[in-house]
């Protein structure tokens, strides 16, 4: 790509917004030119507005940028969005209606019939739904979403098994990091030395998004995978990295070796050379006590899902553990990968320019 495409970040001051800045500041294809957040932040410099929480320094250029109001006027045509769901429900359609490509992290539109919910390694064909969106037809804008942070690791691990053996049932129990709740998130007195066995709407999202992601595009709609998913979601005192204990029933028999082969041979994006795509999206950890969040969450620069502890299950067929970084693979990194994939397909195109040309 010759020149970097200008992009904006909506919700730039939050947990995912900060990850966007970390991943996009020196990105070879994209250039951050616009940052927006709530009224309490707009008008301030980013350095004043954001409490930078990452372990790499806040880039000086970004610290000096002035945070804009969260409105499409003056925004670039490509927007990476990390807004709270209720705000996203109101604001993302405004940006799409104004001709922006909105690459969203929020759950607001993930399950809407004409909105693609995409992991490029899993269901790239679902991006065809973009052409059916009313925003696309009217303004050139669109919304594409990435899944919930606990669905991404699970679905990456399931996809090669669905393709080779079919899948009937999944039982999953999550141990989710506190950063998954945004900043400041769960009060320290609630979570230190504790486990909270409830995350509002998380089990519903994990169950429904998994089946949409593994579903098939049929005309202008997605037919969800015909399987059953039962999820238990827990918040644990871990900073970053969601761990999930998974039991599965496959449609056909598979051996230990065949499952490991399905995971290790899974490299569906190999031909695209996307900057954020890990060469090995699913990494196998043979140690009996891995994966662990502190030790394994940064595999593949935070974009790989690590699987381990594959063993027979006495209720279903097989059980294993999967771990993924919730704010990178499960959040900002997922959206950046969606943006890169759309760019590689020639579909990210500055939508307003298209409208201007065709007008
Ligand atoms: N954390 C994760 O692991 C994770 C993973 C995947 C997806 N997500 C999703 O990503 C989204 C953002 O999550 P987060 O964890 O980054 O949340 P967060 O830390 O609470 O950040 C929320 C962002 O939204 C902005 N905002 C709030 N009200 C606004 C308004 N009225 N207008 C414009 N901007 C407003 C905030 O700006 P101010 O600083 O000015 O208030 C902040 O930049 C959520 O939908 C979440 O479900 C999160």
């Amino acid at each position: 790509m010759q020149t970097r495409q200008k992009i904006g970040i909506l919700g730039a001051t939050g947990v995912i917004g900060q990850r966007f800045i970390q991943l996009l500041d020196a990105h070879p294809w994209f250039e951050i030119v616009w940052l927006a957040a709530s009224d309490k932040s707009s008008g301030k410099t980013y350095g004043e507005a954001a409490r930078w929480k990452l372990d790499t320094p806040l880039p000086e250029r970004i610290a000096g940028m002035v945070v804009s109001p969260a409105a499409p006027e003056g925004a670039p045509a490509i927007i990476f969005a990390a807004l709270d769901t209720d705000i996203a429900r109101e604001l993302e359609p405004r940006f799409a209606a104004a001709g922006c490509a909105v690459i969203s992290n929020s759950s607001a539109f993930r399950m809407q019939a004409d909105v693609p919910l995409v992991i490029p390694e899993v269901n790239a064909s679902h991006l065809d739904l973009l052409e059916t969106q009313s925003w696309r037809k009217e303004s050139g804008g669109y919304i594409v979403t990435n899944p919930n942070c606990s669905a991404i690791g699970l679905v990456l691990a399931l996809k090669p098994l669905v393709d080779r053996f079919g899948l009937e049932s999944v039982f999953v129990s999550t141990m989710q990091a506190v950063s998954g709740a945004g900043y400041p998130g769960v009060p320290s007195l609630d979570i230190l030395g504790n486990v909270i066995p409830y995350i509002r709407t998380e089990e519903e999202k994990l169950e429904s998004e998994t089946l949409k992601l593994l579903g098939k595009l049929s005309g202008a709609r997605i037919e969800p995978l015909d399987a059953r998913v039962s999820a238990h979601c827990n918040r644990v005192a871990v900073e970053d990295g969601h761990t999930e204990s998974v039991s599965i029933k496959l449609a056909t028999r598979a051996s230990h070796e065949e499952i490991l082969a399905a995971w290790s041979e899974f490299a569906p994006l190999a031909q695209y050379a996307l900057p954020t795509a890990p060469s090995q999206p699913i990494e196998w950890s043979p140690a009996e006590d891995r994966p662990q969040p502190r030790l394994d969450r940064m595999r593949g620069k935070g974009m790989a899902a690590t699987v381990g502890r594959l063993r027979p299950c006495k209720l279903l067929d097989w059980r294993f553990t999967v771990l993924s970084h919730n704010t990178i693979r499960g959040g900002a990194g997922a959206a950046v990968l969606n943006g890169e994939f759309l760019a590689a397909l020639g579909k990210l195109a500055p939508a307003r320019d298209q409208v201007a040309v065709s007008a």
Side-chain angles (χ1 to χ4, degrees):
M1 224 159 272
Q2 298 290 311
T3 53
R4 296 200 294 163
Q5 304 203 52
K6 296 185 187 324
I7 63 97
I9 302 172
L10 194 50
T13 49
V15 167
I16 298 296
Q18 296 191 17
R19 278 287 177 202
F20 270 136
I21 287 170
Q22 189 186 51
L23 295 173
L24 291 169
D25 179 52
H27 195 282
W29 297 3
F30 304 129
E31 180 191 3
I32 302 171
V33 297
W34 182 89
L35 303 170
S38 76
D39 289 348
K40 88 173 179 340
S41 302
S42 83
K44 296 179 182 167
T45 64
Y46 186 82
E48 290 164 349
R51 293 180 184 215
W52 186 254
K53 293 288 173 192
L54 298 179
D55 57 7
T56 53
L58 170 60
E60 223 172 281
R61 180 182 79 87
I62 301 290
M65 284 176 69
V66 174
V67 178
S68 299
E73 294 76 26
I78 300 166
I79 300 292
F80 288 94
L83 295 170
D84 300 313
T85 304
D86 291 344
I87 315 295
R89 195 168 286 119
E90 179 194 330
L91 288 186
E92 289 181 355
R94 279 200 219 155
F95 280 78
C100 293
V102 180
I103 320 294
S104 170
N105 256 278
S106 130
S107 62
F109 296 100
R110 285 181 196 145
M111 295 306 292
Q112 184 165 307
D114 61 359
V115 172
L117 170 65
V118 172
I119 303 172
E121 290 99 330
V122 170
N123 61 336
S125 66
H126 293 198
L127 285 170
D128 289 354
L129 286 179
L130 288 181
E131 303 312 324
T132 69
Q133 289 187 2
S134 55
W135 304 297
R136 187 72 165 171
K137 289 178 193 153
E138 285 156 24
S139 70
Y142 63 86
I143 298 176
V144 64
T145 60
N146 54 261
N148 171 276
C149 42
S150 52
I152 291 191
L154 177 68
V155 170
L156 276 171
L158 293 178
K159 172 65 177 171
L161 311 184
V162 171
D163 288 351
R164 291 199 185 183
F165 316 114
L167 179 71
E168 291 185 357
S169 317
V170 180
F171 174 84
V172 55
S173 187
T174 71
M175 288 149 273
Q176 299 185 215
V178 284
S179 61
Y183 190 85
V186 190
S188 58
L189 281 179
D190 286 348
I191 194 69
L192 283 177
N194 204 10
V195 170
I196 300 173
Y198 175 70
I199 306 173
R200 195 171 64 86
T201 71
E202 196 79 354
E203 291 171 353
E204 294 84 343
K205 286 183 205 162
L206 183 50
E207 291 171 355
S208 60
E209 291 179 20
T210 294
L211 296 176
K212 182 174 180 182
L213 285 156
L214 294 170
K216 286 212 165 21
L217 181 69
S218 167
R221 62 181 296 275
I222 304 297
E223 275 175 19
L225 182 73
D226 183 17
R228 294 189 306 163
V229 183
S230 175
H232 296 239
C233 292
N234 304 286
R235 185 76 69 199
V236 297
V238 165
E239 187 188 355
D240 288 317
H242 289 354
T243 308
E244 304 177 47
S245 298
V246 187
S247 285
I248 52 171
K249 179 162 177 48
L250 299 169
T252 57
R253 287 175 72 85
S255 67
H256 194 273
E257 292 67 33
E258 286 170 327
I259 291 176
L260 293 194
W263 281 333
S264 74
E265 290 161 17
F266 185 66
L269 297 182
Q271 79 218 57
Y272 292 100
L274 306 177
T276 302
S279 55
Q280 188 80 49
I282 305 168
E283 290 199 19
W284 166 247
S285 180
E288 63 185 7
D289 60 352
R290 303 279 281 272
Q292 296 178 18
R294 218 164 42 199
L295 303 179
D296 296 304
R297 63 190 167 211
M298 287 310 293
R299 287 185 184 225
K301 296 186 180 157
M303 288 297 287
T306 307
V307 286
R309 303 208 65 224
L310 178 67
R311 61 216 191 277
C313 174
K314 290 182 177 140
L315 292 178
L316 303 179
D317 294 335
W318 290 99
R319 51 188 159 158
F320 61 88
T321 305
V322 61
L323 167 83
S324 57
H325 197 302
N326 55 297
T327 67
I328 303 180
R329 176 47 106 158
V336 171
L337 189 60
N338 277 349
E340 290 173 359
F341 190 63
L342 283 161
L345 297 178
K347 292 187 173 184
L348 183 62
R352 283 186 227 162
D353 293 353
Q354 285 182 351
V355 171
V357 168
S358 61

